[in-house]
Amino acid sequence: MRESTPVSMSATLAADEALARRRRAGEKVLSMASGEIGLTVHPALRERLAAAAGESAYGPVAGGHALRAAVAGYWGRRGLGIDPGLIVAGPGSKPLLFALLLALGGDVVVPVPSWVSYAAQARLAGARPIPVPIVPGQGGVPDPDRLRAAVAEARAAGRDPRSVVVTVPDNPTGTVASPGTVRRLAAAARELDLVVVSDEIYRDLVYDTSAPAESPALHAAERTVITTGLTKSLAVGGWRTGVARLPDSDIGRALHTRLVSVASQIWSSPPAPVQTAAAYAFGEPPEITEYVAAGRRLHETVVRAVADRFTAAGAALAPVRATCYLYPDFEPVRDRLARVHGVHDGDGLARFLSERHGVGVLPASAFGEPGSALRIRAATSRLYGDTDEQRTAALTAAEPLELPWIRGAVEQVGEALSDLVRTATGALSPQS
Amino acid sequence: MRESTPVSMSATLAADEALARRRRAGEKVLSMASGEIGLTVHPALRERLAAAAGESAYGPVAGGHALRAAVAGYWGRRGLGIDPGLIVAGPGSKPLLFALLLALGGDVVVPVPSWVSYAAQARLAGARPIPVPIVPGQGGVPDPDRLRAAVAEARAAGRDPRSVVVTVPDNPTGTVASPGTVRRLAAAARELDLVVVSDEIYRDLVYDTSAPAESPALHAAERTVITTGLTKSLAVGGWRTGVARLPDSDIGRALHTRLVSVASQIWSSPPAPVQTAAAYAFGEPPEITEYVAAGRRLHETVVRAVADRFTAAGAALAPVRATCYLYPDFEPVRDRLARVHGVHDGDGLARFLSERHGVGVLPASAFGEPGSALRIRAATSRLYGDTDEQRTAALTAAEPLELPWIRGAVEQVGEALSDLVRTATGALSPQS
């Protein structure tokens, strides 16, 4: 007998749908809740998909050879060479992560905070997530010492942790765990006999390209699975394409067999036309790497501008080094928020920004943090324009902050924050 | 603590990959193991996908409104009108079926025989499948009386069956449960408080269009979920598109909430460009209904020719009324197969046909039948040609059996069966 698993809607997708409804109703809302990348598909990529529209066969469960070879090349150029036979493609890195949890079995350690779906997926897979806090300022990687303690405690209680999920670079914090922390995590995982599932979908969005994110696969090669996709770098979330790199080891080969079996029963194969377009993109021709670089610069510029507004409002914010996310902490102004607005936690903070100022963000609770945390996640990725013209202009602008729609968005955030941290209660506006 | 779920590769996809390897190695193999439809995408459908290549946003988890409205129209034309808000689209009907099992919770009754993935999906979802035999000659629907007995027994043993899967028309048998049987199944499901998950992906492939398959949704409207997709009618399996129609009832609305939540955590949304093409197809413009009709006639013609070979060889075969599948039973010639070839069961039969004659089929065990069953499933859907030219010729031919590649395939089946049921052992050929 099996109970229904408690499951709630993905917080990002739910917030996105709610904001879209308000926007359709004519409200001036800023969608900063989800990390969907609001940019236009590169024309060459779009043309590859169009040309592949006649491809309608399933092909291999793990994806066709051309795609897997291109993906192996992508990782090879990052010092992570791999046999294409150990690549598994799927309809998004989200389904791949879920299938990995099913294939691995056992319970799974997740960092706190971490992406909204890891813990939900673990529960759907019949596992219990084991939350372990990050090292402050180094999101995405559970503190290795606390990891040891949590796994020991879980095992003593009869539980069976078998894997740890990490996010490098990190969502929601926009930070990147240091090489030292990643090395210590890898050592702890080996010592504890845990498989490391390293979600590296933001890998190519580290602002300082001379200091790339360190993958745990460099230090625990035999037990690290890496996942990525084109969603974040190439703004094709709606295409549904993701890939996993399994380790070249006994662990990796056994997991490959189980992962492909799970995939065969759940989704059959990745969408065929998308595979062809993805193979082209993972080959990284110059026009594609230039697009990725332009997107990275755009994120950095807008993230820094928004970060300035948050720090000006008194929020604490670890330096954002990658992605399109900010994760400000309003603890330094807790008393004021409570006194002036009756805001006591992240949920109240998100509600205030969304309902009063049309700035849609997510509370820290969506990322597994305690309800009391006065933190929210804000994404800049939907501020780049509403039309293809605006988005293309944003991607190619020397000074994106001078584009009126981006400047207006940053100002809307600034005004919302000014109101949030004002010192007197004053008269409340009639809207609630 | 959670054990790893035992999981094996989808039998159809595994067989397909093995046959593809042999074919690449130069062997003359007939792929009759999987029901992948070997036809060319309709040009208008292909063009719709190509034109949508720039669509890269996730959109709503359940699929965009245009697609859901088109799907509601599709069902409305079949006497099953529904609010588009109760339609959920996903990346294939396979993921939708899996997500439904996760959302429903509890154990699930599956017919015997039935499609290879229902039972595997149930196990992955943490449920135990409860097998219930069909009424002979009416595949896809558990015998309603046996269903009552099995559910009573399971509940007495402390298990918690909450749903029953049916396949109308049926894979693997190519039969269609009678309206009376479907009505009795619906009544039993209501009496037992089971949700009916009705996989109707072969609905438009019933040969006699004046006698369509009866959906249990007509008789247990409040508790029947229907799934379908374009894979079988329009030969776009590799596109990954499926849809579910949830009942307009308290049961349906509660399940919709859970299903969309599960979908949001596992796959986000169906591929955006494919949604646009699918919306066009579910609108059923004349060129699309003509393509579906041509495919249906082609399946019928080739299935009947292959069925004649099986019955000529002494196999029993319920009249095939739909799909591209045959499910012959060699029980009448059991003694001969044992004596001449040492073939004692479906696995031996499949091995004999595949290894000695290059005719790839699946044994009954893949469909949940006992190992002793001397039955196999053969699909005709890959016999229509290897090139777009051949496949288009097959679809448009007045006499497809006169096309040399189809005639050759049918003859290869006939020769394999002649060898199978010959009466003397003779000298074994050197290949094994």
PDB file of all heavy atoms in Angstrom, chain B residues 340-341 356 422 425-431:
ATOM      1  N   VAL B 340       9.916 -30.287 -32.855  1.00  0.00           N
ATOM      2  CA  VAL B 340      10.778 -29.976 -34.001  1.00  0.00           C
ATOM      3  C   VAL B 340      11.877 -28.971 -33.651  1.00  0.00           C
ATOM      4  O   VAL B 340      13.012 -29.081 -34.103  1.00  0.00           O
ATOM      5  CB  VAL B 340       9.921 -29.449 -35.187  1.00  0.00           C
ATOM      6  CG1 VAL B 340      10.805 -29.158 -36.398  1.00  0.00           C
ATOM      7  CG2 VAL B 340       8.849 -30.471 -35.544  1.00  0.00           C
ATOM      8  N   HIS B 341      11.527 -27.979 -32.831  1.00  0.00           N
ATOM      9  CA  HIS B 341      12.485 -26.887 -32.584  1.00  0.00           C
ATOM     10  C   HIS B 341      12.882 -26.732 -31.127  1.00  0.00           C
ATOM     11  O   HIS B 341      13.710 -25.859 -30.823  1.00  0.00           O
ATOM     12  CB  HIS B 341      11.888 -25.554 -33.054  1.00  0.00           C
ATOM     13  CG  HIS B 341      11.526 -25.510 -34.507  1.00  0.00           C
ATOM     14  ND1 HIS B 341      12.456 -25.554 -35.514  1.00  0.00           N
ATOM     15  CD2 HIS B 341      10.315 -25.443 -35.118  1.00  0.00           C
ATOM     16  CE1 HIS B 341      11.854 -25.492 -36.686  1.00  0.00           C
ATOM     17  NE2 HIS B 341      10.546 -25.431 -36.479  1.00  0.00           N
ATOM     18  N   ARG B 356      16.777 -16.957 -36.101  1.00  0.00           N
ATOM     19  CA  ARG B 356      16.902 -17.791 -37.295  1.00  0.00           C
ATOM     20  C   ARG B 356      16.397 -17.089 -38.543  1.00  0.00           C
ATOM     21  O   ARG B 356      16.890 -17.317 -39.643  1.00  0.00           O
ATOM     22  CB  ARG B 356      16.144 -19.117 -37.114  1.00  0.00           C
ATOM     23  CG  ARG B 356      16.470 -20.135 -38.205  1.00  0.00           C
ATOM     24  CD  ARG B 356      15.732 -21.428 -38.001  1.00  0.00           C
ATOM     25  NE  ARG B 356      16.050 -22.014 -36.716  1.00  0.00           N
ATOM     26  CZ  ARG B 356      16.917 -23.025 -36.558  1.00  0.00           C
ATOM     27  NH1 ARG B 356      17.542 -23.536 -37.594  1.00  0.00           N
ATOM     28  NH2 ARG B 356      17.133 -23.510 -35.360  1.00  0.00           N
ATOM     29  N   ARG B 422       6.977 -26.619 -39.572  1.00  0.00           N
ATOM     30  CA  ARG B 422       7.199 -27.847 -40.363  1.00  0.00           C
ATOM     31  C   ARG B 422       7.155 -29.044 -39.424  1.00  0.00           C
ATOM     32  O   ARG B 422       7.397 -28.928 -38.223  1.00  0.00           O
ATOM     33  CB  ARG B 422       8.503 -27.734 -41.153  1.00  0.00           C
ATOM     34  CG  ARG B 422       9.757 -27.707 -40.325  1.00  0.00           C
ATOM     35  CD  ARG B 422      10.942 -27.221 -41.168  1.00  0.00           C
ATOM     36  NE  ARG B 422      11.994 -26.664 -40.306  1.00  0.00           N
ATOM     37  CZ  ARG B 422      12.950 -27.403 -39.728  1.00  0.00           C
ATOM     38  NH1 ARG B 422      13.000 -28.706 -39.920  1.00  0.00           N
ATOM     39  NH2 ARG B 422      13.842 -26.830 -38.965  1.00  0.00           N
ATOM     40  N   THR B 425      12.030 -32.665 -38.086  1.00  0.00           N
ATOM     41  CA  THR B 425      13.136 -31.866 -37.572  1.00  0.00           C
ATOM     42  C   THR B 425      14.142 -31.528 -38.659  1.00  0.00           C
ATOM     43  O   THR B 425      14.612 -30.411 -38.754  1.00  0.00           O
ATOM     44  CB  THR B 425      13.873 -32.593 -36.437  1.00  0.00           C
ATOM     45  OG1 THR B 425      14.238 -33.876 -36.901  1.00  0.00           O
ATOM     46  CG2 THR B 425      12.998 -32.691 -35.210  1.00  0.00           C
ATOM     47  N   GLY B 426      14.459 -32.492 -39.525  1.00  0.00           N
ATOM     48  CA  GLY B 426      15.418 -32.254 -40.608  1.00  0.00           C
ATOM     49  C   GLY B 426      16.751 -31.798 -40.056  1.00  0.00           C
ATOM     50  O   GLY B 426      17.015 -31.836 -38.866  1.00  0.00           O
ATOM     51  N   ALA B 427      17.618 -31.351 -40.993  1.00  0.00           N
ATOM     52  CA  ALA B 427      18.930 -30.858 -40.550  1.00  0.00           C
ATOM     53  C   ALA B 427      18.772 -29.403 -40.138  1.00  0.00           C
ATOM     54  O   ALA B 427      18.137 -28.618 -40.827  1.00  0.00           O
ATOM     55  CB  ALA B 427      19.934 -30.987 -41.685  1.00  0.00           C
ATOM     56  N   LEU B 428      19.339 -29.042 -39.031  1.00  0.00           N
ATOM     57  CA  LEU B 428      19.293 -27.653 -38.619  1.00  0.00           C
ATOM     58  C   LEU B 428      20.241 -26.850 -39.482  1.00  0.00           C
ATOM     59  O   LEU B 428      21.313 -27.313 -39.844  1.00  0.00           O
ATOM     60  CB  LEU B 428      19.699 -27.521 -37.138  1.00  0.00           C
ATOM     61  CG  LEU B 428      18.667 -28.067 -36.163  1.00  0.00           C
ATOM     62  CD1 LEU B 428      19.227 -28.043 -34.754  1.00  0.00           C
ATOM     63  CD2 LEU B 428      17.371 -27.262 -36.229  1.00  0.00           C
ATOM     64  N   SER B 429      19.834 -25.670 -39.855  1.00  0.00           N
ATOM     65  CA  SER B 429      20.725 -24.819 -40.633  1.00  0.00           C
ATOM     66  C   SER B 429      21.883 -24.388 -39.724  1.00  0.00           C
ATOM     67  O   SER B 429      21.754 -24.381 -38.503  1.00  0.00           O
ATOM     68  CB  SER B 429      19.952 -23.606 -41.156  1.00  0.00           C
ATOM     69  OG  SER B 429      19.832 -22.646 -40.150  1.00  0.00           O
ATOM     70  N   PRO B 430      23.024 -24.037 -40.319  1.00  0.00           N
ATOM     71  CA  PRO B 430      24.192 -23.740 -39.487  1.00  0.00           C
ATOM     72  C   PRO B 430      24.004 -22.503 -38.590  1.00  0.00           C
ATOM     73  O   PRO B 430      24.546 -22.443 -37.498  1.00  0.00           O
ATOM     74  CB  PRO B 430      25.305 -23.511 -40.504  1.00  0.00           C
ATOM     75  CG  PRO B 430      24.646 -23.328 -41.827  1.00  0.00           C
ATOM     76  CD  PRO B 430      23.290 -23.948 -41.743  1.00  0.00           C
ATOM     77  N   GLN B 431      23.217 -21.536 -39.054  1.00  0.00           N
ATOM     78  CA  GLN B 431      23.063 -20.378 -38.151  1.00  0.00           C
ATOM     79  C   GLN B 431      22.206 -20.770 -36.957  1.00  0.00           C
ATOM     80  O   GLN B 431      21.425 -21.721 -37.037  1.00  0.00           O
ATOM     81  CB  GLN B 431      22.471 -19.151 -38.887  1.00  0.00           C
ATOM     82  CG  GLN B 431      20.979 -19.143 -39.059  1.00  0.00           C
ATOM     83  CD  GLN B 431      20.571 -19.068 -40.524  1.00  0.00           C
ATOM     84  OE1 GLN B 431      21.038 -19.849 -41.343  1.00  0.00           O
ATOM     85  NE2 GLN B 431      19.693 -18.144 -40.860  1.00  0.00           N
TER      86      GLN B 431
END
